[in-house]
Amino acid sequence: MAVLLSKAALALERYQLSVPGTLSVAITGDMPGLVALDGKLSGYDGEILQMAATRLGLKIRPVPMEWYGAIAATQSGQVDIIGGNVAWTRQRADVLTMTDPTAYFQNGITQKIGQNWNSLADLENKKVGSMIGFGFLVELRRLPGLQLMLYDTPDAAMRDLVIGRIDAMIGDPPAIDYAISRNPDWKLHTVPFIDNNPDFPLLTSTGRQYVFGLSKNNQALADDLSREIRLLWSDCEVRLIGKHYGLLSDTNFVPSADNFRAGVDRPADWAAPRCRQ
């Protein structure tokens, strides 16, 4: 009990929280990233954040909200942290303090089984769905003839894809894989991009990172969360957590060869974590 009390007291001193001793978490509702269940966090990022918060002596306060407002809410201190399939981008790093990655990913084209589109050229002159607020939307809009349809949730986009209102969709790979695995009657699949085109890095790069984002005045908390995240990488517990939510591919656990955060929001000698096993 004394250890927990000392951790709670330390948290009060080190962290800038909207509710003292409590981590207020933006819940945007997508599995398998981060959701609230009976006052605790579930999902891949949810389990990681719940474990880290407990070790840091913090309680959890879930705050449901729409994705498109979550970053602003984190910046303003309405909530303390955003996570759950939140990709690192340079633009987000300019406005938020980002933790070390919880996982890695590569985008792909979600489409009907029988189609195998795997390149940016395949999306030209197509009606493509995606979600409001995604960083890669600016890149999608550059593709010739592409008609972009925006949705609040990946489920809504996939349902339109099933009935033919759109030709394809681009979204968070884990959320899409999770939904498809539980709805085989949709007859959808996702094929990764083969381009790896430097002119379209947010769409096609490999080894991109999922992170937690906090306000700029919460650097101490971000550092402590990063330490806890790296501990889960050190013994490869991230893979065990991933298995609960269908994150089975090596692409979820292998960083990019391009150490793109070094010298940006990390020291020049920083290296992205990976499993030791």
Side-chain angles (χ1 to χ4, degrees):
M1 180 64 72
V3 173
L4 289 177
L5 287 174
S6 64
K7 286 184 177 180
L10 182 61
L12 287 173
E13 294 180 2
R14 286 175 54 79
Y15 310 146
Q16 303 296 316
L17 301 174
S18 56
V19 177
T22 299
L23 189 64
S24 299
V25 183
I27 305 293
T28 57
D30 288 342
M31 281 288 278
L34 189 156
V35 298
L37 185 63
D38 297 327
K40 291 190 176 182
L41 301 179
S42 184
Y44 178 77
D45 272 0
E47 284 198 27
I48 289 174
L49 186 56
Q50 184 71 58
M51 294 168 66
T54 298
R55 292 172 181 171
L56 296 176
L58 296 173
K59 299 176 182 178
I60 294 292
R61 181 174 75 99
V63 184
M65 61 179 55
E66 297 295 335
W67 158 250
Y68 57 80
I71 290 179
T74 306
Q75 286 180 275
S76 67
Q78 180 183 344
V79 293
D80 303 315
I81 190 166
I82 179 176
N85 303 345
V86 174
W88 184 94
T89 67
R90 186 181 291 264
Q91 292 82 359
R92 289 174 182 166
D94 286 340
V95 297
L96 295 175
T97 297
M98 302 288 198
T99 66
D100 278 10
T102 58
Y104 306 100
F105 71 98
Q106 180 182 6
N107 285 321
I109 303 173
T110 301
Q111 56 203 286
K112 293 181 178 179
I113 290 175
Q115 297 168 332
N116 287 287
W117 298 330
N118 60 8
S119 70
L120 295 171
D122 288 327
L123 296 177
E124 294 179 9
N125 302 306
K126 301 291 195 308
K127 188 176 290 186
V128 179
S130 191
M131 272 55 71
I132 296 170
F134 279 9
F136 55 64
L137 296 180
V138 64
E139 295 180 5
L140 275 177
R141 290 189 172 100
R142 287 162 45 198
L143 296 179
L146 184 144
Q147 300 177 60
L148 184 60
M149 306 286 290
L150 296 179
Y151 298 83
D152 290 329
T153 68
D155 273 11
M158 281 186 279
R159 292 180 189 280
D160 270 8
L161 177 56
V162 169
I163 63 177
R165 287 180 178 167
I166 57 176
D167 302 310
M169 71 165 289
I170 314 292
D172 279 325
I176 292 170
D177 290 346
Y178 183 82
I180 289 175
S181 70
R182 281 152 178 78
N183 297 278
D185 57 306
W186 288 354
K187 294 181 170 55
L188 301 177
H189 69 152
T190 300
V191 182
F193 282 107
I194 61 171
D195 303 78
N196 201 18
N197 187 329
D199 292 331
F200 294 83
L202 300 182
L203 275 172
T204 69
S205 294
T206 61
R208 296 191 59 219
Q209 300 180 12
Y210 286 127
V211 297
F212 294 112
L214 302 91
S215 69
K216 286 292 188 179
N217 64 356
N218 245 333
Q219 184 66 55
L221 178 54
D223 291 343
D224 288 352
L225 288 172
S226 291
R227 183 188 67 241
E228 297 297 334
I229 291 167
R230 294 189 82 94
L231 287 174
L232 296 175
W233 280 99
S234 68
D235 60 6
C236 220
E237 192 168 354
V238 288
R239 278 192 183 268
L240 297 178
I241 298 171
K243 286 181 180 179
H244 299 163
Y245 302 101
L247 303 184
L248 304 176
S249 171
D250 285 344
T251 59
N252 298 125
F253 305 102
V254 177
S256 170
D258 176 16
N259 193 11
F260 50 84
R261 292 182 67 181
V264 179
D265 71 337
R266 287 295 184 270
D269 60 351
W270 179 84
R274 63 172 67 222
C275 289
R276 292 180 181 174
Q277 301 175 4

